[in-house]
């Protein structure tokens, strides 16, 4: 249950409501987002108490949600959430494509890629500067200098930036350079990180863990929403299956399922989802046909020379083809690009 307070209530009125919760032993978590002050009821609340809450002067409405995740659920909000980044709308009618290298490697590399990403018709430049690598001897990313290159490249091309944050201790520095925080698959359940990002108002692209259920993904998003940050984008990036021929199995069921369960925008990453450059275009088309609100794609000026994830990087020419094909699919499903 979510209790939404009226705007402009006095401190006294709010305290009376809190006293009511205390007396009735109703456990709540307060949430303050850009629009509303709310209380999420975490425990049980009987019919009688519910009536009293509903008629309390401070309360605007009470929304019943019969899911473990409350703020992410469709019962809480039935209209689709649109995240606004200046003139860019994420989750609206228009499909948004984010693209760029797996890792920022050099200033020249990211500048070249950024230009190609813009020309292809994408709106957001991706690139990792803090990389989650399987082996500790693998390239770990350029760190802050990589963020500088990324931001500057995006500025020149008038693109927004998305980059990964792995550690609470890096949030402050990454925030200076990015428009969207990416939480990678391996950190989907890094709860201290999610809670900290919930305190900010910058959008968070939350990738599904390769092991995670849909419910676990939605509950992870709830940690961010509960902090008052409503700007969460969910991202399907493939799961571990018995199939050895692809790096992961891109689970497009997730898109259709999540569309019914949540109002949050849903993105798909066909690069990690397949691990194979020659499958990325096909799975991009399929993702948009399934109802995804956007894509995040790995591209490189010289794909085979990518320092990380070379097998799945597509060329800028291929990216242009991809965008043109996805544009046609977008129109067929009542979207635009
Ligand atoms: C990435 O985007 O480069 C990445 C590491 O993604 P994921 O967390 O989905 O593996
Ligand atoms: Mn990658």
């Amino acid at each position: 249950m979510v209790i939404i307070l009226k705007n402009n209530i006095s401190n006294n009125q709010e305290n009376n409501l809190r006293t009511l919760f205390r007396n009735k032993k109703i456990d709540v978590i307060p949430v303050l987002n850009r629009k509303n002050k709310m209380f999420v009821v975490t425990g049980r609340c009987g019919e009688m108490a519910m009536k009293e809450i509903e008629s309390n002067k401070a309360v605007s409405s009470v929304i019943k949600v019969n899911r473990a995740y409350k703020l992410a659920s469709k019962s809480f909000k039935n209209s689709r959430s649109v995240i606004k980044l200046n003139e860019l709308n994420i989750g609206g009618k228009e499909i948004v494509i984010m693209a760029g290298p797996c890792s920022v490697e050099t200033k020249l590399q990211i500048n070249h890629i950024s230009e190609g990403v813009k020309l292809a018709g994408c709106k957001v430049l991706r690139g990792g500067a803090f990389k989650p690598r399987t082996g500790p001897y693998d390239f770990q990313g350029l760190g802050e200098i990589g963020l500088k290159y990324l931001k500057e490249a995006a500025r020149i091309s008038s693109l927004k930036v998305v980059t990964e944050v792995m550690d609470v201790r890096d949030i402050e520095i990454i925030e200076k350079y990015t428009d969207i925080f990416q939480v990678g698959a391996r950190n989907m359940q890094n709860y201290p990180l999610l809670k900290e990002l919930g305190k900010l108002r910058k959008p968070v692209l939350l990738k599904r863990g390769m092991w995670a259920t849909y419910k676990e993904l939605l509950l992870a998003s709830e940690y961010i929403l509960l902090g008052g940050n409503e700007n969460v984008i969910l991202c399907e990036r493939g799961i571990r299956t018995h199939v050895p021929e692809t790096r992961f199995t891109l689970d497009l069921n997730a898109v259709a399922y999540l569309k019914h369960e949540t109002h949050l925008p849903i993105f798909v990453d066909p690069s990690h989802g397949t691990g194979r450059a020659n499958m990325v275009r096909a799975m991009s088309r399929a993702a948009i046909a399934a109802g995804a609100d956007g894509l995040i794609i790995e591209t490189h000026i010289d794909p085979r020379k990518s320092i990380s994830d070379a097998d799945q990087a597509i060329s800028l020419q291929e990216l242009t083809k991809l965008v043109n094909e996805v544009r046609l699919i977008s129109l067929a499903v009542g979207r635009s690009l």
Side-chain angles (χ1 to χ4, degrees):
M1 199 163 84
V2 183
I3 298 156
I4 303 186
L5 303 202
K6 285 180 189 154
N7 289 325
N8 311 321
I9 52 162
S10 66
N11 283 344
N12 231 350
Q13 284 175 313
E14 188 179 325
N15 286 337
N16 286 343
L17 181 63
R18 285 180 186 259
T19 308
L20 175 68
F21 294 145
R22 241 191 330 273
N23 291 343
K24 302 268 178 207
K25 299 202 170 17
I26 298 169
D27 294 324
V28 295
I29 298 180
V31 180
L32 181 64
N33 65 25
R34 247 189 285 226
K35 287 178 232 93
N36 293 107
K37 183 150 200 181
M38 306 179 282
F39 288 102
V40 178
V41 177
T42 59
R44 294 206 159 274
C45 174
E47 276 298 309
M48 287 294 284
M50 173 103 152
K51 289 223 162 62
E52 258 183 79
I53 293 168
E54 270 169 338
S55 57
N56 186 284
K57 285 203 170 58
V59 173
S60 157
S61 59
V62 175
I63 303 171
K64 287 183 198 157
V65 184
N66 62 351
R67 293 286 191 273
Y69 39 89
K70 310 288 175 200
L71 303 176
S73 91
K74 269 261 192 90
S75 315
F76 172 65
K77 183 181 175 197
N78 202 19
S79 59
R80 299 226 62 84
S81 283
V82 179
I83 297 172
K84 290 187 189 311
L85 267 176
N86 303 329
E87 68 294 345
L88 181 65
N89 285 342
I90 297 173
K93 189 177 180 218
E94 196 176 329
I95 300 295
V96 172
I97 305 188
M98 307 175 177
C102 178
S103 306
V104 179
E105 297 168 5
T106 64
K107 191 174 171 153
L108 197 66
Q109 172 242 23
I110 195 67
N111 281 345
H112 270 161
I113 295 175
S114 178
E115 205 183 309
V117 163
K118 175 73 178 184
L119 282 173
C122 305
K123 298 286 164 64
V124 182
L125 181 66
R126 66 149 287 152
F130 292 87
K131 295 299 302 176
R133 302 307 301 282
T134 303
Y137 306 120
D138 293 333
F139 175 60
Q140 303 286 311
L142 293 181
E144 185 169 9
I145 189 75
L147 294 174
K148 282 195 177 136
Y149 295 159
L150 182 67
K151 185 178 167 145
E152 179 60 7
R155 190 193 62 77
I156 295 167
S157 308
S158 305
L159 292 165
K160 300 281 182 240
V161 170
V162 61
T163 196
E164 178 159 355
V165 58
M166 295 194 292
D167 191 316
V168 173
R169 292 167 293 187
D170 299 328
I171 292 179
E172 205 176 314
I173 176 162
I174 296 176
E175 196 187 3
K176 289 198 267 174
Y177 300 97
T178 200
D179 298 295
I180 304 171
F181 286 101
Q182 173 177 323
V183 173
R186 292 155 189 84
N187 271 307
M188 190 201 83
Q189 289 178 321
N190 179 341
Y191 300 121
L193 181 63
L194 301 178
K195 282 184 191 170
E196 218 48 42
L197 293 170
K199 294 180 189 162
L200 311 179
R201 295 296 174 262
K202 267 199 183 168
V204 178
L205 178 90
L206 177 64
K207 296 183 110 181
R208 178 182 173 207
M210 57 197 84
W211 65 87
T213 64
Y214 303 147
K215 186 175 170 183
E216 286 164 346
L217 172 63
L218 288 164
L219 283 171
S221 78
E222 193 80 6
Y223 275 91
I224 304 168
L225 299 170
L226 207 49
N229 188 351
E230 300 164 275
N231 302 315
V232 180
I233 305 159
L234 303 178
C235 182
E236 166 58 38
R237 50 77 73 211
I239 52 171
R240 275 259 157 87
T241 67
H242 62 279
V243 175
E245 289 83 1
T246 55
R247 185 178 179 195
F248 295 98
T249 296
L250 188 65
D251 174 21
L252 292 182
N253 278 2
V255 177
Y257 182 90
L258 292 168
K259 279 266 152 162
H260 286 293
E261 275 303 305
T262 181
H263 51 87
L264 298 172
I266 297 148
F267 271 52
V268 168
D269 174 349
S271 303
H272 292 86
T274 60
R276 297 178 70 122
N278 65 4
M279 291 177 69
V280 171
R281 259 167 57 212
M283 296 318 287
S284 297
R285 300 193 299 264
I288 299 306
D293 298 297
L295 301 167
I296 179 161
I297 307 284
E298 288 191 348
T299 181
H300 201 278
I301 18 160
D302 196 350
R304 303 286 78 78
K305 295 220 175 97
S306 300
I307 297 182
S308 55
D309 289 352
D311 293 343
Q312 66 200 37
I314 61 171
S315 66
L316 291 162
Q317 292 75 7
E318 186 83 356
L319 180 70
T320 305
K321 265 197 212 169
L322 182 155
V323 174
N324 289 334
E325 290 175 359
V326 164
R327 184 172 291 119
L328 293 175
I329 304 286
S330 303
L331 294 174
V333 294
R335 312 288 292 262
S336 60
L337 201 165

